[in-house]
Amino acid sequence: MPNNQDNLIKELVGTYGRERTSLLPILQGVISQKNFISDFDMTEIAKELDISAAQVYGTATFYSFLDTAARGKYVIRICKTITCDMHGRKEIIQTIENMLKIKVGETTQNKIFTLLETNCLGWCHKGPAMLINDQPYSELTPEKVHEIIAEYMNNNRR
Amino acid sequence: MSELIQRVDLIFGEYSDQKYKVLEEALKRPNDDIIKDLLDSGLKGRGGAGFPTALKWKFTAEVPSDEKYVVCNADEGEPGTFKDREILSRVPRKVFSGMAICGKVIGSNKGLIYLRGEYKFMLPELLKELDTYHEHAKKLNHNFTIEIRLGSGAYICGEESALFESMEGKRGEPRNKPPYPTTSGFMGKPTVINNVETFVNVLMICRIGPVQFRKLGTTDSRGSKVFSVSGDTPKPGIYELELGMPLFQFVDEFGDGDTKAVQVGGASGFCVPRKKFKDTIIGFEGVPTGGSMMIFNSSRSMYNVLHNYLDFFEEESCGQCTPCRVGCQQLRKGIEAVKRGEKPVLYLEQLMKLAETMKITAKCGLGQSVANSFSSIVSNFKEEMIY
Ligand SMILES: Cc1cc2nc3c(=O)[nH]c(=O)nc-3n(C[C@H](O)[C@H](O)[C@H](O)COP(=O)(O)O)c2cc1C
Ligand code: SF4
């Protein structure tokens, strides 16, 4: 649907403007709609902002949340910093890997879930923690994370 | 809480009875008066570096410019820190007021909050609160608007010049200094950038006065500090305490009875081993901290702790300068080689020299501070690096 994509970029440019300062909000807008920024989107943004596609690419790839590789509808990011690690990060990852049958860095075949690791999320006092898209979850246990993921799976089936 | 440790209720204390009352009063005062109060209060920045806030504001106020900015640093990426989120969700009005006072003092009508992408979920609440602020600012005839910009998962964007680059729509690569933000910050204009907590401190100084504020803390570390306590502790969480407390008191209160070490100031801070708890002061005269306090008990491997920090730095280094880009990698590979027995124990000394070299040659605070945790962990826990 290249037409739809076109519209999204135009819409975002309409909201945030064509300045260089608009670039990050535009890229973040693409992420919240599509979870990743395709090559096509990057060239479209470059055209709209009248900068080179390399500059858009260079900026996007600098930021770990601005994914330029295809991602699932729900991106799960598990905190891997020391306190979450001490409080059972590995069991959490294992639980999710078993449920979704993917490894860290991979996306499920149906393109619903992507599992990633990330640096400190700022929930050290309630570790282990994770983000699913923008939503944080903390004080995870294998049981709790099982419930959370199952709910996402169910919601998606509906 | 034990009697030795003083709980404080300044940052999180109740709002004044009337919305934006302290701001209203501050707006009536001469700018010099406010700067003088900040100077007398002894307030130093709460983002880690500890620069006197009064001077930062004074310098920026003195630069003539058609446009100036007030930036609130809410990037909070330092491992073990989570207090700025708590401040922004519990007392956002105090943060906005502090920024608005800064706008008046330095002559700026534009404030920006750089909120880390990990905290995007806070946006709806914050925007609602901001609407209320803007209504009040209008009533008070104070031409100062505040806008929120989001980060996207890059620790380095907490470094002030990288933060400006990021808000300008670029890669978050730190700039050379000088020029400093006071003359050339966001969009090349004079800018005051302060941590979330610093702005709240300013507001509280306006409310209770510098004399009252100075009663908290010590000569070099005035006021209270919001600590983020995590790790091996029965009571992890957020605590507002006086600055200048000896570490052993902190460990008495928060440790689990078996504390081996405390990492003060996050991955870029210092590791203090048990034998030094007695002589270590938490504050600018001892080990400074942006608030991160990670506690480790004797079941933890300090090799794993250090390895985790080095992974963090290696990933978060912007890669712009060689000492940091290559240094972080070599330090990690180096301790792995010693652990595997491929390199002699003496190799650790060489690695510490490399870390010290990074301290003097890296372009920004990230590369410069790797040596803090590296050298303090390696020198205090050498056996754990080897066996
Ligand atoms: C790698 C790096 C990361 C930083 N991250 C933050 C941060 O997340 N929050 C913050 O307030 N300051 C951070 N700082 C410090 C800022 O550069 C700056 O000194 C601070 O925001 C100034 O505010 P203050 O004077 O109120 O402390 C960081 C510095 C470095 C070198
Ligand atoms: S020290 Fe590291 S983070 Fe800082 S500019 Fe150099 S490479 Fe980038």
Side-chain angles (χ1 to χ4, degrees):
Chain A
M1 318 168 283
N3 241 349
N4 268 345
Q5 293 186 343
D6 239 341
N7 284 342
L8 174 62
I9 305 290
K10 288 231 153 64
E11 230 172 76
L12 290 167
V13 168
T15 313
Y16 298 112
R18 289 191 158 75
E19 310 297 316
R20 181 68 198 244
T21 46
S22 326
L23 180 56
L24 222 54
I26 292 172
L27 293 170
Q28 288 163 343
V30 176
I31 290 286
S32 49
Q33 294 297 315
K34 308 206 299 202
N35 280 343
F36 84 105
I37 310 159
S38 66
D39 290 354
F40 180 81
D41 287 339
M42 281 190 268
T43 36
E44 285 304 297
I45 294 170
K47 268 188 232 159
E48 291 287 343
L49 267 57
D50 199 18
I51 53 180
S52 78
Q55 278 174 309
V56 178
Y57 179 81
T59 305
T61 50
F62 185 85
Y63 297 91
S64 69
F65 284 12
L66 300 181
D67 290 304
T68 52
R71 299 290 189 220
K73 182 171 166 193
Y74 302 115
V75 181
I76 308 170
R77 292 175 206 270
I78 313 279
C79 175
K80 63 174 175 185
T81 301
I82 190 70
T83 6
C84 281
D85 185 68
M86 282 159 48
H87 290 115
R89 161 188 75 103
K90 286 198 191 73
E91 289 77 25
I92 302 304
I93 291 188
Q94 209 130 59
T95 310
I96 301 180
E97 284 182 341
N98 289 342
M99 277 185 90
L100 302 177
K101 314 264 181 305
I102 50 171
K103 296 270 167 223
V104 171
E106 294 175 351
T107 299
T108 53
Q109 254 178 355
N110 60 8
K111 307 245 175 345
I112 301 296
F113 293 99
T114 299
L115 178 60
L116 301 172
E117 286 184 309
T118 190
N119 284 323
C120 192
L121 288 173
W123 295 95
C124 321
H125 57 323
K126 295 185 173 175
M130 67 176 176
L131 277 183
I132 301 184
N133 293 348
D134 299 329
Q135 187 59 42
Y137 296 89
S138 59
E139 293 176 290
L140 298 174
T141 58
E143 296 76 36
K144 193 168 161 188
V145 82
H146 196 279
E147 253 172 57
I148 295 167
I149 302 289
E151 198 174 320
Y152 273 89
M153 287 168 131
N154 277 335
N155 286 345
N156 197 62
R157 234 171 258 138
R158 253 184 251 140
Chain B
M1 187 149 299
S2 81
E3 294 190 357
L4 283 174
I5 291 203
Q6 192 69 40
R7 282 297 286 271
V8 191
D9 213 16
L10 196 62
I11 303 291
F12 292 121
E14 291 204 8
Y15 283 141
S16 40
D17 43 13
Q18 191 192 320
K19 269 189 192 171
Y20 292 102
K21 184 169 152 202
V22 184
L23 172 61
E24 183 175 356
E25 278 159 13
L27 290 178
K28 293 180 199 144
R29 296 177 58 195
N31 293 337
D32 289 348
D33 253 29
I34 297 178
I35 290 190
K36 184 169 179 305
D37 271 7
L38 292 184
L39 203 57
D40 290 345
S41 74
L43 175 65
K44 291 178 181 171
R46 299 301 197 229
F51 191 81
T53 307
L55 296 183
K56 197 181 264 194
W57 288 26
K58 184 167 180 282
F59 295 154
T60 315
E62 283 166 357
V63 184
S65 173
D66 51 341
E67 189 111 57
K68 293 183 189 181
Y69 296 99
V70 176
V71 176
C72 172
N73 190 340
D75 196 53
E76 190 160 65
E78 189 63 53
T81 319
F82 37 91
K83 47 107 190 163
D84 290 338
R85 180 188 58 235
E86 186 86 355
I87 295 173
L88 277 169
S89 46
R90 278 171 59 187
V91 288
R93 232 187 273 165
K94 293 188 184 178
V95 181
F96 304 156
S97 301
M99 292 176 71
I101 293 173
C102 182
K104 164 194 155 61
V105 170
I106 68 162
S108 155
N109 51 28
K110 183 87 205 138
L112 297 137
I113 300 176
Y114 188 89
L115 184 71
R116 70 189 305 224
E118 288 84 345
Y119 293 169
K120 189 179 168 195
F121 73 98
M122 298 171 66
L123 215 46
E125 280 299 312
L126 280 175
L127 290 175
K128 215 166 29 173
E129 242 340 288
L130 259 187
D131 283 344
T132 318
Y133 160 76
H134 284 124
E135 278 166 30
H136 280 264
K138 207 170 191 177
K139 264 189 239 154
L140 297 175
N141 242 334
H142 184 39
N143 179 16
F144 183 80
T145 57
I146 300 177
E147 194 185 313
I148 301 178
R149 297 288 179 88
L150 282 171
S152 263
Y155 164 67
I156 190 60
C157 290
E159 195 280 337
E160 51 197 26
S161 62
L163 188 152
F164 300 143
E165 290 286 307
S166 177
M167 289 204 306
E168 289 174 16
K170 303 178 202 147
R171 294 164 65 85
E173 289 173 347
R175 301 171 181 167
N176 279 321
K177 287 187 215 171
Y180 293 99
T182 46
T183 52
S184 175
F186 180 53
M187 305 301 279
K189 301 290 182 186
T191 305
V192 161
I193 177 166
N194 277 129
N195 176 256
V196 176
E197 192 180 344
T198 311
F199 282 117
V200 177
N201 271 296
V202 168
L203 183 80
M204 296 319 288
I205 291 164
C206 287
R207 185 159 133 189
I208 65 172
V211 177
Q212 210 49 29
F213 184 84
R214 283 175 69 89
K215 286 190 183 149
L216 296 168
T218 57
T219 320
D220 290 323
S221 308
R222 296 291 184 195
S224 69
K225 178 85 197 79
V226 183
F227 288 94
S228 314
V229 183
S230 69
D232 295 310
T233 164
K235 39 184 172 186
I238 291 153
Y239 298 88
E240 185 176 348
L241 309 168
E242 266 191 88
L243 272 173
M245 137 187 51
L247 191 56
F248 78 89
Q249 274 180 17
F250 176 88
V251 172
D252 271 356
E253 182 65 38
F254 294 100
D256 61 359
D258 186 26
T259 305
K260 168 162 84 175
V262 181
Q263 180 78 19
V264 184
S268 53
F270 294 86
C271 181
V272 185
R274 185 185 290 149
K275 63 175 187 284
K276 293 185 188 156
F277 288 169
K278 259 211 139 45
D279 316 313
T280 303
I281 299 287
I282 307 171
F284 297 110
E285 65 268 63
V287 264
T289 174
S292 172
M293 305 290 285
M294 295 190 270
I295 305 176
F296 302 108
N297 70 19
S298 61
S299 75
R300 307 293 174 187
S301 149
M302 295 312 286
Y303 172 85
N304 287 349
V305 172
L306 179 59
H307 197 283
N308 189 281
Y309 292 162
L310 291 174
D311 279 343
F312 172 79
F313 286 127
E314 198 177 332
E315 275 173 31
E316 299 293 344
S317 161
C318 83
Q320 202 186 169
C321 69
T322 317
C324 169
R325 182 183 63 245
V326 181
C328 290
Q329 239 177 55
Q330 291 306 315
L331 292 177
R332 194 238 330 134
K333 286 185 182 164
I335 61 164
E336 286 173 357
V338 172
K339 191 81 176 176
R340 284 196 301 262
E342 289 165 14
K343 291 278 184 191
V345 178
L346 267 179
Y347 190 62
L348 289 173
E349 305 296 326
Q350 249 173 297
L351 292 175
M352 282 199 272
K353 266 192 213 149
L354 170 60
E356 289 308 317
T357 308
M358 288 166 67
K359 191 171 235 161
I360 42 181
T361 53
K363 182 171 174 178
C364 85
L366 188 150
Q368 289 161 9
S369 58
V370 175
N372 297 350
S373 53
F374 190 86
S375 298
S376 59
I377 294 179
V378 169
S379 60
N380 286 306
F381 298 97
K382 200 167 256 170
E383 327 76 55
E384 295 194 34
M385 299 299 125
I386 306 163
Y387 305 110

